[in-house]
Amino acid sequence: LKFAFRVMPYLCREGVNIFYEDSGGDGEVLFLSHGFGSGSRLWDSQMELSTKYRIIRWDMRGHANSDSPEQDLFYSKQHQAAVFVGHSMGAYDNLLFAFAGSEYAAYVKALVLFATGPGFQKDEARAAWNKQAEKMANAFETKGLEALVGSDKSKGHRNWRGLAKSARLVNAQRPNDPYFQRQPEGAAVAVSRLGTLRMPALIIVGARDKAFSRAAEMMNAKIQGSRLVLIPDAGHMANEKSPQLF
């Protein structure tokens, strides 16, 4: 079964081409954001939803078919569009969009937070996360695209440099990120404000996703009216492992 998309265009932001696909239609819009090292193809198994919803999916900067700008500025968290559904890093960025200000939050009708966490309250935990991000960046610089693992190898990545920059400048939660510097809570903005969210939130995590199971439970406890769904016998890529349950 194939699903027809409109022309696969690029959105140009300050000379950087961002790849996206739009199924069109008059249904509710689902904006799908992938996680670090993945790409818009992550959502292939969910494209059957385009018979009911208008599906927009995209490749982040430095990933798959989007450009990999040399300037570090282009990798900071400068959000421009409403978001709905996200996986891992993409879902975390969705939270940051919702907390960017009331003019941004007004665009968020609901959040689907899949296999993700809200960042860290403690500096030590954030430093450990950033150390892993640096390790990933070093792996791409050493091995190139061979550093990709699992299904990330099939997402159409073209440039290891973009992935290395994304690991350091987006996946890492840097206190000096321009977005964090504008927030009173700094890099702890998302985890600190979970209780203030007032839009519907669905939290999804694979039952075997040990890295994010506790974070999912914590978000469900703090976000008013949220719902937590565990996908059995699935890990971090639960939507690929169990697409029908997802």
Side-chain angles (χ1 to χ4, degrees), residues 99-238:
F99 293 130
S102 58
E103 69 273 26
Y104 294 93
Y107 290 107
V108 184
K109 298 181 68 174
L111 284 168
V112 178
L113 304 171
F114 166 37
T116 193
F120 305 94
Q121 195 73 254
K122 296 182 179 180
D123 293 340
E124 296 82 0
R126 187 180 307 107
W129 175 272
N130 290 348
K131 184 176 180 180
Q132 286 299 114
E134 181 63 22
K135 184 177 180 180
M136 288 190 292
N138 290 335
F140 283 112
E141 290 174 342
T142 302
K143 301 178 182 179
L145 295 180
E146 292 299 316
L148 290 166
V149 298
S151 66
D152 289 345
K153 296 179 179 180
S154 65
K155 299 301 186 287
H157 295 292
R158 302 173 299 163
N159 190 326
W160 63 263
R161 292 178 179 83
L163 290 166
K165 280 184 172 288
S166 185
R168 286 197 179 100
L169 302 172
V170 183
N171 193 49
Q173 298 171 22
R174 302 172 298 120
N176 64 344
D177 184 290
Y179 175 93
F180 293 142
Q181 289 184 326
R182 293 194 295 270
Q183 311 304 323
E185 304 90 345
V189 56
V191 68
S192 299
R193 297 189 195 175
L194 289 175
T196 69
L197 284 174
R198 291 296 180 266
M199 71 279 293
L202 174 63
I203 302 164
I204 304 174
V205 67
R208 295 191 288 104
D209 190 352
K210 296 181 180 179
F212 291 100
S213 293
R214 290 182 63 184
E217 292 172 357
M218 182 265 282
M219 289 190 296
N220 187 50
K222 291 191 174 184
I223 300 174
Q224 182 176 339
S226 63
R227 179 187 174 198
L228 173 62
V229 174
L230 294 177
I231 299 182
D233 193 33
H236 194 56
M237 314 299 281

Side-chain angles (χ1 to χ4, degrees), residues 22-149:
D22 183 348
S23 69
D26 299 323
E28 183 87 62
V29 176
L30 298 182
F31 189 93
L32 309 182
S33 298
H34 61 82
F36 174 76
S38 190
S40 57
R41 293 181 186 175
L42 170 73
W43 306 107
D44 281 352
S45 295
Q46 283 68 57
M47 288 305 100
E48 64 184 46
L49 293 173
S50 64
T51 60
K52 182 178 180 181
Y53 299 97
R54 179 182 177 185
I55 305 293
I56 300 174
R57 58 178 179 170
W58 65 301
D59 290 331
M60 294 182 180
R61 287 171 171 81
H63 289 72
N65 294 300
S66 288
D67 283 352
S68 304
E70 292 300 322
Q71 299 93 332
D72 291 353
L73 172 64
F74 294 133
Y75 288 84
S76 58
K77 298 178 174 69
Q78 307 283 337
H79 297 286
Q80 299 293 327
V83 294
F84 297 94
V85 183
H87 173 251
S88 199
M89 183 179 78
Y92 175 65
D93 281 356
N94 292 359
L95 280 172
L96 296 182
F97 179 86
F99 293 130
S102 58
E103 69 273 26
Y104 294 93
Y107 290 107
V108 184
K109 298 181 68 174
L111 284 168
V112 178
L113 304 171
F114 166 37
T116 193
F120 305 94
Q121 195 73 254
K122 296 182 179 180
D123 293 340
E124 296 82 0
R126 187 180 307 107
W129 175 272
N130 290 348
K131 184 176 180 180
Q132 286 299 114
E134 181 63 22
K135 184 177 180 180
M136 288 190 292
N138 290 335
F140 283 112
E141 290 174 342
T142 302
K143 301 178 182 179
L145 295 180
E146 292 299 316
L148 290 166
V149 298

Side-chain angles (χ1 to χ4, degrees), residues 11-18 61 67-69 71 74:
L11 173 68
C12 186
R13 287 287 184 189
E14 298 178 290
V16 180
N17 290 314
I18 303 298
R61 287 171 171 81
D67 283 352
S68 304
Q71 299 93 332
F74 294 133

